Amino acid sequence: MRIVAGELRGRTLVAPKGHSTRPTADRTREALFNVLEHAAWSPGLQGCRVIDLFAGSGALGLEALSRGAAFCRFVDSDLVARDATKCNLAALRLDERALIAGEDAGRLPPRRGRDGGPFDFAFLDPPYGGDLGERALAALVRGNWLAPEAIVILERGAEEGDLQAPGYEILNSRVWGAARVCFLAYAPTPKAKT
């Protein structure tokens, strides 16, 4: 695994040992970020704040930092995964632009000022199958983690059914190998005036 582009292009990444983590393939990551750099609906990563849920090695958030994101919060409930992310941040000298949190992405607490948000981009790469992605999407909304019109990228299995994403507009969906990558825009509902 390596950083695909940006200031850290070509640098290798450490992946967590074992089978509990499935890192996004380099080719899929490259294609995903190409969409984010060229789609009319994407503001681009330069200077943005990013959250990487189910971070694993941190490859998605690290790629965003390499391509100009200002800050990334890495979230993973697995200690081995967090250790791999910490090792990658240290090797790439990105510690000052990141925060690692050991939280369950489907049960994020309400965002506080020191948590680093609100976020302009959110990357979600949960284990395939099940509803972990949908639960994390709901937790982002419930906890006020996203900036208005934030772009959310959810990786799922290519064979998985329709995505249920209340509070989001589906912008695009692409299949690369075994992965279906859904690009969403956070669309908060206006609060009623009292």
Side-chain angles (χ1 to χ4, degrees), residues 116-138:
F119 295 98
D120 307 297
F121 285 87
F123 294 96
L124 288 72
D125 187 11
Y128 291 172
D131 65 348
L132 292 175
E134 285 89 344
R135 285 179 36 214
L137 288 171

Side-chain angles (χ1 to χ4, degrees), residues 43-69:
L45 290 160
Q46 199 65 42
C48 288
R49 301 182 75 70
V50 174
I51 188 168
D52 184 352
L53 301 179
F54 309 99
S57 65
L60 292 169
L62 293 166
E63 187 74 38
L65 290 171
S66 179
R67 292 171 184 246

